[in-house]
Amino acid sequence: MFDLLLPEHSGSPLYLQIYHLIHEQIRLGKVAAGTRLPSVRALQQQLLISKTPIETAYHMLVAEGYVINKPKSGFYVVDDPEFIQNVVASSPAWRIPLNHTVAGFHDRLPEEGMDWIDFNPTHMDGDSFPLQTWNKMLKEAAQPMAAQLGQYGDSRGEPGLRAAVSEYLAHSRGVLCSPEQVIIGSGMSYSIGILVKLLDGVRRVAFEEPGFDLVRNLLNGYGWETVPIPVKGQGLLVGELSKVPFHAVYVTPSHQFPTGSIMPYSQRVRLLAWAKTAGAYIIEDDYDGEFRYQGKPIPSLQGLDNEGRVIYIGTFSKTLSPALRINYMVVPPSLLHKLSKLHPDQLHAPSRLEQWALERFVREGHWYKHLRKTRNLYRKKHHHLIDLISIHLGKHVHITGLHAGLHLQLSIPRHGTAQELIQLAEKLQVKVYDFRSMWANPPAAPLPVVYLGFAGLPLSVMEEGILRLKKAWFGA
């Protein structure tokens, strides 16, 4: 146990003061590896403040690896003496003694002393993963299936999980399918590989411009021609599809990647009508469709499809964890015959143990509870980041992609390029992204555009990140 003494006069928020005090004691070796930190309640009583800044400071320390949170036990300094020794050895000699913290100290930290703030659009909130429940599901799922541990499972995915996914999609995303139409996979690359085998007659596909470069590169690698179709405020321009014969189109209608636009109902109906007339397939990538923050959810394209023209792809990576590497693809009934013709060696479902655990996780209601929790968490982070941008950068930037997903697009009316803005941000240890690789033919943009993800950042860190961007880009 140790006492913390907050400075009497400081311009920094309480959570930053607490964070720096504990951070410095760990770095200076004054708190040993494995030490249990004071409970939030104890520190609240000691400092006579609310618990929110204490919890925020602790979660910042957890995110940076200095502290771990043991459920039902408390917060502990990481039990890694080598790590502590390394951070002590690398602790800069210029640091101001703790009892001499002054107003503006945080703002005047030299560049080499800062911690990186990464607005990475692919990062999720790792602390929200229900680790204790997941471990319980793994154990309970394996026991009744012990007799099958020596056998390979269904190469299309475990039947129980496919049924659970089918029911969930009908309930949550309006996707109508039987378990036989569901293929459990290990990520987008795997699903695209299967899709190419099922659509062996397809050679030209319309592709969103800008669009997800991983999928474009995969399709090109399989010999498909991807033709860029412009994306505007309402998603892909459906009218452009009639100008060239296409066998398929790839779209992200629920939250266009990367612009953030949402395809309205009328455009979805037009797209489905085009597919029917052209005899083409629609590849609907619903990578983060669970996260919508304004308005009523729009049904998936697959749920509106009466002709069997939509191939629907979703994932558990954005909602549960990228570490699981479990996704799913729903194929229309017309492709089931081709699916049955594929040799089992061409299909490789993920770990049976994890599939059994995930099925139980869904069946017992943990999935829906977790989904509500993460929706609320990401809605809070989404609104908080927008508020911070409006407060600190409002007159300097324009935000798009406001209503769904896990990242925002910023247009910045100033001279220079997105890459120059990224480099300026990096000088203050902030990472933002330009997604230029998402364009097949990058345009000469009238305004530089950058992208900020928010799911992986603690609420407390966001303001510091935006303040650094303001200083980096506008010198204020």
Side-chain angles (χ1 to χ4, degrees):
M1 242 2 143
F2 56 91
D3 291 329
L4 294 180
L5 181 63
L6 294 178
E8 292 185 6
H9 304 288
S10 173
S12 298
L14 283 173
Y15 72 85
L16 282 179
Q17 295 178 43
I18 297 168
Y19 161 80
H20 282 298
L21 286 167
I22 300 175
H23 181 269
E24 289 300 284
Q25 292 204 30
I26 294 173
R27 289 178 66 99
L28 296 174
K30 294 183 178 180
V31 183
T35 299
R36 185 180 186 275
L37 298 179
S39 69
V40 173
R41 182 182 180 87
L43 210 51
Q44 180 185 7
Q45 292 174 345
Q46 176 191 332
L47 300 176
L48 300 178
I49 60 176
S50 72
K51 67 179 183 179
T52 301
I54 302 169
E55 291 176 336
T56 299
Y58 276 6
H59 286 300
M60 288 174 66
L61 292 163
V62 169
E64 294 180 1
Y66 289 96
V67 171
I68 59 173
N69 183 11
K70 297 182 180 180
K72 298 182 180 180
S73 179
F75 292 89
Y76 292 78
V77 177
V78 62
D79 192 8
D80 186 345
E82 184 178 352
F83 171 77
I84 298 298
Q85 184 178 1
N86 287 338
V87 298
V88 170
S90 62
S91 182
W94 52 261
R95 285 189 177 270
I96 299 173
L98 290 174
N99 58 347
H100 292 297
T101 302
V102 295
F105 165 65
H106 180 71
D107 296 333
R108 296 189 288 106
L109 286 176
E111 179 179 314
E112 62 269 25
M114 293 182 182
D115 294 310
W116 280 93
I117 298 176
D118 190 354
F119 288 96
N120 192 314
T122 68
H123 288 179
M124 302 297 105
D125 190 303
D127 290 339
S128 68
F129 183 76
L131 185 58
Q132 191 172 9
T133 303
W134 181 253
N135 286 336
K136 183 172 180 284
M137 295 299 100
L138 280 170
K139 181 179 179 180
E140 293 181 356
Q143 288 175 341
M145 307 299 286
Q148 297 190 39
L149 290 175
Q151 306 169 18
Y152 293 104
D154 191 322
S155 58
R156 293 172 295 174
E158 293 301 299
L161 178 57
R162 290 158 64 196
V165 168
S166 174
E167 294 167 13
Y168 158 68
L169 291 176
H171 171 75
S172 179
R173 302 297 299 130
V175 172
L176 304 177
C177 65
S178 67
E180 289 73 26
Q181 293 173 249
V182 178
I183 306 172
I184 303 297
S186 56
M188 179 59 80
S189 299
Y190 173 81
S191 294
I192 292 297
I194 301 302
L195 183 148
V196 167
K197 295 179 177 69
L198 297 177
L199 302 182
D200 54 359
V202 172
R203 286 295 176 266
R204 181 186 293 125
V205 57
F207 205 90
E208 295 175 326
E209 176 76 339
F212 191 16
D213 60 341
L214 169 67
V215 177
R216 183 196 303 116
N217 294 337
L218 287 168
L219 293 174
N220 290 338
Y222 284 112
W224 285 24
E225 177 190 2
T226 53
V227 179
I229 302 295
V231 167
K232 299 298 182 183
Q234 295 188 334
L236 179 135
L237 296 180
V238 178
E240 297 291 313
L241 296 175
S242 301
K243 297 181 178 180
V244 178
F246 289 110
H247 304 106
V249 58
Y250 170 85
V251 289
T252 51
S254 293
H255 186 237
Q256 202 280 327
F257 190 83
T259 67
S261 62
I262 299 172
M263 183 180 288
Y265 181 85
S266 59
Q267 286 290 91
R268 297 179 187 226
V269 172
R270 288 186 62 201
L271 182 57
L272 288 166
W274 167 83
K276 177 182 177 181
T277 301
Y281 285 99
I282 300 170
I283 305 167
E284 179 181 12
D285 184 355
D286 197 17
Y287 67 99
D288 66 358
E290 287 87 357
F291 302 114
R292 182 175 173 85
Y293 310 117
Q294 294 183 20
K296 295 181 179 179
I298 300 174
S300 65
L301 279 168
Q302 199 274 356
L304 301 173
D305 178 23
N306 296 320
E307 304 295 329
R309 308 311 307 177
V310 177
I311 299 166
Y312 179 90
I313 303 176
T315 181
F316 288 102
S317 292
K318 300 294 185 183
T319 48
L320 196 53
S321 170
L324 284 178
R325 302 297 297 164
I326 296 180
N327 78 327
Y328 45 85
M329 179 166 64
V330 177
V331 300
S334 59
L335 294 178
L336 288 178
H337 178 69
K338 287 189 176 181
L339 179 62
S340 66
K341 294 293 184 181
L342 293 181
H343 192 279
D345 289 346
Q346 295 180 291
L347 297 163
H348 308 282
S351 158
R352 296 188 79 190
L353 281 170
E354 291 184 342
Q355 289 189 70
W356 293 334
L358 184 53
E359 178 195 349
R360 183 175 286 261
F361 189 79
V362 175
R363 294 290 188 199
E364 294 189 5
H366 303 296
W367 164 248
Y368 297 96
K369 180 181 178 181
H370 174 74
L371 193 54
R372 287 192 297 271
K373 176 184 174 182
T374 52
R375 276 176 177 155
N376 290 334
L377 173 64
Y378 292 152
R379 180 182 291 108
K380 186 175 182 180
K381 290 188 175 188
H382 173 268
H383 293 346
H384 187 60
L385 181 58
I386 290 174
D387 287 345
L388 290 173
I389 292 172
S390 299
I391 292 169
H392 299 297
L393 303 177
K395 64 181 180 180
H396 301 297
V397 304
H398 175 66
I399 311 173
T400 53
L402 291 172
H403 305 310
L406 301 175
H407 71 269
L408 300 174
Q409 176 180 274
L410 294 187
S411 301
I412 304 161
R414 56 159 289 168
H415 297 295
T417 65
Q419 194 57 42
E420 289 171 346
L421 292 177
I422 289 171
Q423 291 171 356
L424 288 172
E426 287 179 345
K427 290 181 179 179
L428 293 184
Q429 310 258 94
V430 183
K431 287 188 176 183
V432 295
Y433 298 81
D434 70 349
F435 283 170
R436 197 158 181 79
S437 64
M438 304 301 162
W439 295 81
N441 302 304
L447 298 175
V449 175
V450 298
Y451 297 85
L452 279 67
F454 53 83
L457 280 177
L459 287 166
S460 56
V461 176
M462 289 183 185
E463 183 166 23
E464 173 65 14
I466 296 301
L467 287 173
R468 289 189 198 178
L469 290 179
K470 182 179 181 181
K471 183 176 181 180
W473 294 343
F474 309 108

